[in-house]
Amino acid sequence: MCRRAVVHHAHNSDGQPQRGASHDRQQFCTDIMEARSAGSVSKFMLERKSLGGVSAMMIRRQIMWAASVCAIVLCMQVSIQSVGAEPVLASSLGSCKPVPVLKGAPLHCCLPEPKRAPIRFKFPRIPRTSSGRPILRERKPAHVLSKDPEYVRKYNLAYERMKALPDTDPRSFYSQWRVHCSFCNEAFQQRKTPGPLGPETGVLLQVHYSWTFLPWHRMYLYYHERILASLINDPTFALPFWNWDNQLDKDAAKMPAMFFPDFGVPNAALFDEFRNSNHFPPKILYLGYNSKLEAEGQQNLTDQQIKYENLCVMYNQVTTKVSARDFLGGPYVVGTDNSAATVNVSAGEVPGESGGMESVHNVAHEWTGLINDPDHPDNEDMGNFIFAARDPIFYTHHSNVDRLWDVWKTLPDKITKSGHRKRMDYNSRDFLDSEFTFFDENQDMVIVKVRDSLNSAKLGVKYTDVSESDNLWINYEPMPAQESSKTCNASDYPKPSPHGDNYIGTDPVSFKLDRRAPTNKDCQEKGLSNVDELQENVVLEKVKIPHADYARFDMFINYPAAHRQSHLYMAEYVGTFTHLPSGMVDMSNSVSETSSESEKYRIVTIRYSVNAALKRLGITDYNTDIVVTIVSKGKRNSSPKSGFEFSDLKQDFQ
């Protein structure tokens, strides 16, 4: 018997389904089944064809026959699909390896086994007002809630009770940390079949560097919040969000006051000793942050300069990202190893590919953790994916990241030439059916799919409207172009090596990039109707980055004079990529597990969206080649000659 029917589609290069005859057959079957269940068979057949003298009995027989055929077809489609399933499938059961760190013994981030059989996710029952309006948990800005003593008491009590739970309880603060530590640091393996007990593939699991980053963290927050609410018996309790992108309110981008001692009301459970005291209030989070420059005493910006740079970073990392791939990250399918030092493209493997949101989120992590502290080489807690979730501020940081995903989907398209492309999540089955497990407030293991995460309201969550501050970066206008950028000659600069031995050192490096006009094929591959809807990208392919290194690459167009201290509010700046340590290997042999040289690196591809910048620079002809300058903000604790390798620099359309 066929229990469920999910149709397998062919997919284009962007992971979007290509609809054809199979989709039409499925839709016809769906229409019939719905009509049958609704009892509206006569109406359905009247809509399908002229009935003439056909009797009602004949109509019903035709419906029953069509429904039977459709059931068989759909079951066959399920069988076909199960053979070629590609979504990443994962759970916290099965083999779980220790996570190595730079200082100390490897950490065991494995989670306890469930007490009962795992269950499938169901959307929560959302209460409604007498007028029928849904009552949602409202996540509010942390800088506003810091002025609400009653909320802070409640928030602190929830964490106090969570931290008091035994470590073996999956709801405990210790276990909540282990969820992030394990799924984000290659402790588990991907699985071959759905369900938490399916056979493992042998490929390590990593939920960063791909389209799973935002959905996985949303569901992680969802259960974390529900556990906190249940511990204080308050079903309306909601996490705060650290509104660090807000450049309108003077306190918004600072570490929220509620997380510091001497607050005035009990808040000890919100404190974490491993935060960078150099960045305590009144310092504001700097999204252009460069720890190397800071250590050298060369990062001296006024608050006003930081404000402008923050707005420009948000504009380039969120507003200019129109396609799902550019904002959410690249595809991640079963068998893809985002921790591997090599990528076999011919075998269908893809390198890790962070979206614009993940890169900007990394900056807040690094800035909050103990960077530049020789006693803490792992930059714990927030500055390293291994330790980050040990700091309660992590969850309010990610609450803002999650909020910005909702904001991104509402932004009008002022970037592409058509100006009317709608921002949408991926709709491919590989994305929607990616599967993970979490523990809920009842200590049950729940199997969750990415498709369950796409609508905050269906999860019972909403965010306080802060659109006035959002609009500052959504509508930001960088400074006018430099005169030198208008006369920059691409022919004066080399093309990247076709052999893949390209290098980004401690000094900025510039390359000529050949450009071409998009074609109808580019359009069709992305499921778009015309070339003017396409987003143009500059793609830095297969960058080799050590697992244990911090990396940051800022990119400028037609500004070869760019350097480490160039302001990011310039017209020529097009975006940033950041990398935080995760799944680290020990470089000093201080832990029991050692790794081969090939395991010390991961491969990532980096996309920079350039439509808006090209328009600002007056480059409207696709035949105009450009100069791409990459400014590396350097590795931590690296020698002067160390750098990064990459395979190619290309133009691409999404």
Side-chain angles (χ1 to χ4, degrees):
M1 179 179 178
C2 179
R3 292 190 175 182
R4 60 175 185 159
V6 184
V7 178
H8 178 69
H9 299 302
H11 293 80
N12 58 36
S13 62
D14 196 30
Q16 306 297 332
Q18 296 173 340
R19 296 174 181 265
S22 64
H23 174 263
D24 295 338
R25 286 193 295 272
Q26 182 208 12
Q27 187 59 52
F28 177 70
C29 289
T30 301
D31 291 344
I32 289 178
M33 302 297 262
E34 288 179 351
R36 180 187 177 195
S37 64
S40 54
V41 293
S42 298
K43 180 180 179 182
F44 175 80
M45 292 304 290
L46 282 167
E47 291 174 349
R48 286 288 173 178
K49 65 177 184 176
S50 174
L51 291 178
V54 179
S55 68
M57 182 63 72
M58 181 63 72
I59 294 171
R60 291 190 180 91
R61 288 176 179 173
Q62 289 175 334
I63 288 289
M64 295 296 290
W65 172 82
S68 300
V69 171
C70 284
I72 295 171
V73 170
L74 293 177
C75 285
M76 290 175 65
Q77 287 174 329
V78 170
S79 299
I80 294 171
Q81 174 190 327
S82 64
V83 174
E86 292 297 329
V88 165
L89 308 167
S91 82
S92 57
L93 289 177
S95 60
C96 177
K97 74 176 184 65
V99 176
V101 294
L102 290 179
K103 185 177 181 179
L107 298 175
H108 290 266
C109 301
C110 309
L111 289 154
E113 293 191 7
K115 298 178 180 179
R116 296 172 286 276
I119 59 176
R120 287 281 173 184
F121 174 83
K122 292 183 179 179
F123 285 105
R125 180 175 296 176
I126 299 172
R128 294 182 177 272
T129 63
S130 57
S131 62
R133 180 178 298 177
I135 302 173
L136 306 178
R137 299 174 191 259
E138 183 175 357
R139 296 178 183 167
K140 300 178 180 180
H143 68 283
V144 174
L145 289 173
S146 289
K147 300 172 184 177
D148 182 349
E150 187 58 36
Y151 175 83
V152 177
R153 286 191 186 94
K154 184 189 299 184
Y155 188 29
N156 180 72
L157 178 62
Y159 271 119
E160 197 173 77
R161 291 179 176 175
M162 180 181 272
K163 290 182 176 183
L165 294 172
D167 293 346
T168 54
D169 190 321
R171 303 169 301 161
S172 71
F173 191 73
Y174 181 77
S175 289
Q176 290 294 293
W177 158 67
R178 290 190 296 182
V179 173
H180 191 265
C181 179
S182 57
F183 275 89
C184 302
N185 293 283
E186 295 100 36
F188 297 122
Q189 295 180 17
Q190 298 172 16
R191 295 182 178 274
K192 294 180 180 179
T193 57
L197 293 174
E200 296 170 338
T201 64
V203 178
L204 298 178
L205 177 73
Q206 171 57 261
V207 298
H208 291 85
Y209 315 107
S210 75
W211 62 18
T212 57
F213 166 72
L214 285 169
W216 185 90
H217 282 83
R218 172 169 285 180
M219 298 310 296
Y220 179 36
L221 283 185
Y222 171 78
Y223 285 111
H224 186 79
E225 182 176 70
R226 291 178 69 89
I227 292 169
L228 290 171
S230 69
L231 291 174
I232 56 174
N233 300 312
D234 182 356
T236 68
F237 174 80
L239 288 164
F241 64 91
W242 178 12
N243 195 193
W244 41 256
D245 59 294
N246 182 341
Q247 307 303 309
L248 183 64
D249 302 321
K250 64 182 180 64
D251 294 326
K254 300 172 185 176
M255 287 192 211
M258 65 171 70
F259 292 101
F260 292 96
D262 304 321
F263 181 68
V265 298
N267 71 332
L270 305 179
F271 181 69
D272 183 86
E273 63 179 312
F274 301 115
R275 294 181 191 143
N276 193 333
S277 60
N278 294 323
H279 297 158
F280 286 178
K283 294 288 183 67
I284 61 174
L285 171 58
Y286 174 35
L287 297 178
Y289 178 63
N290 178 0
S291 61
K292 202 168 183 67
L293 279 177
E294 183 180 61
E296 296 167 359
Q298 298 183 51
Q299 188 161 268
N300 301 308
L301 285 81
T302 66
D303 284 356
Q304 192 70 1
Q305 287 175 318
I306 291 175
K307 171 183 175 178
Y308 288 142
E309 295 216 358
N310 285 352
L311 291 172
C312 204
V313 169
M314 287 299 298
Y315 174 76
N316 280 284
Q317 296 300 117
V318 181
T319 306
T320 68
K321 308 292 185 184
V322 182
S323 74
R325 185 163 193 164
D326 286 280
F327 182 74
L328 276 80
Y332 183 38
V333 296
V334 69
T336 296
D337 188 350
N338 278 348
S339 66
T342 58
V343 176
N344 186 351
V345 177
S346 62
E349 296 180 6
V350 295
E353 192 176 304
S354 299
M357 190 67 257
E358 184 176 354
S359 278
V360 75
H361 126 281
N362 286 349
V363 182
H365 270 280
E366 182 183 11
W367 187 83
T368 307
L370 288 175
I371 195 74
N372 294 327
D373 187 334
D375 293 331
H376 297 276
D378 293 301
N379 196 17
E380 62 264 35
D381 279 332
M382 274 284 284
N384 187 314
F385 291 151
I386 296 170
F387 299 103
R390 296 195 311 193
D391 187 343
I393 207 172
F394 167 92
Y395 303 94
T396 191
H397 163 50
H398 266 277
S399 187
N400 194 48
V401 172
D402 186 70
R403 181 189 73 85
L404 289 167
W405 182 12
D406 284 348
V407 172
W408 173 77
K409 286 189 265 192
T410 69
L411 299 183
D413 174 16
K414 298 180 181 179
I415 305 302
T416 69
K417 287 191 175 183
S418 74
H420 57 70
R421 179 172 172 179
K422 186 178 180 182
R423 299 172 197 245
M424 299 173 62
D425 297 321
Y426 289 96
N427 61 4
S428 77
R429 179 183 157 276
D430 293 346
F431 173 70
L432 297 174
D433 285 344
S434 294
E435 184 178 278
F436 307 99
T437 61
F438 295 93
F439 281 97
D440 68 9
E441 64 273 23
N442 301 312
Q443 303 187 58
D444 283 319
M445 176 179 278
V446 186
I447 305 166
V448 178
K449 291 183 180 291
V450 164
R451 66 172 68 247
D452 302 324
S453 73
L454 303 183
N455 188 319
S456 292
K458 290 181 70 174
L459 296 173
V461 172
K462 71 174 181 178
Y463 288 94
T464 296
D465 183 359
V466 290
S467 55
E468 186 178 1
S469 62
D470 289 342
N471 286 333
L472 291 183
W473 54 261
I474 292 170
N475 302 313
Y476 185 70
E477 290 288 343
M479 292 177 62
Q482 305 280 318
E483 281 300 319
S484 60
S485 68
K486 299 176 183 177
T487 58
C488 188
N489 188 349
S491 299
D492 293 339
Y493 297 88
K495 294 181 181 180
S497 167
H499 305 295
D501 52 351
N502 301 292
Y503 186 77
I504 304 170
T506 54
D507 294 325
V509 59
S510 298
F511 297 97
K512 174 187 177 183
L513 179 67
D514 294 331
R515 296 173 67 239
R516 65 169 177 85
T519 64
N520 287 333
K521 182 180 179 181
D522 294 315
C523 236
Q524 293 165 0
E525 288 176 345
K526 305 302 179 293
L528 300 175
S529 58
N530 68 77
V531 294
D532 287 343
E533 292 181 84
L534 288 165
Q535 178 169 305
E536 185 174 354
N537 287 336
V538 173
V539 183
L540 196 58
E541 289 194 327
K542 300 178 188 174
V543 186
K544 190 175 182 180
I545 302 178
H547 285 222
D549 269 354
Y550 295 85
R552 179 179 180 127
F553 304 112
D554 294 335
M555 182 175 284
F556 296 80
I557 298 295
N558 281 8
Y559 188 58
H563 52 84
R564 288 194 301 160
Q565 292 174 281
S566 293
H567 289 301
L568 303 184
Y569 46 73
M570 299 174 59
E572 293 82 2
Y573 166 71
V574 295
T576 290
F577 167 82
T578 57
H579 175 269
L580 283 185
S582 61
M584 300 196 321
V585 297
D586 176 33
M587 302 297 186
S588 61
N589 296 323
S590 64
V591 297
S592 57
E593 290 193 356
T594 58
S595 302
S596 67
E597 184 68 25
S598 65
E599 292 176 323
K600 294 181 179 179
Y601 298 89
R602 74 172 76 253
I603 305 296
V604 300
T605 286
I606 307 170
R607 292 179 178 273
Y608 297 89
S609 307
V610 297
N611 289 61
L614 293 173
K615 185 177 180 180
R616 288 195 301 270
L617 299 175
I619 302 173
T620 57
D621 186 351
Y622 284 111
N623 293 318
T624 302
D625 296 333
I626 57 176
V627 177
V628 173
T629 299
I630 305 158
V631 180
S632 171
K633 295 299 176 67
K635 305 181 188 179
R636 184 184 64 175
N637 300 330
S638 60
S639 64
K641 294 184 179 180
S642 65
F644 303 89
E645 298 174 5
F646 69 98
S647 68
D648 206 352
L649 184 72
K650 293 182 178 179
Q651 177 201 39
D652 184 46
F653 296 97
Q654 288 298 319

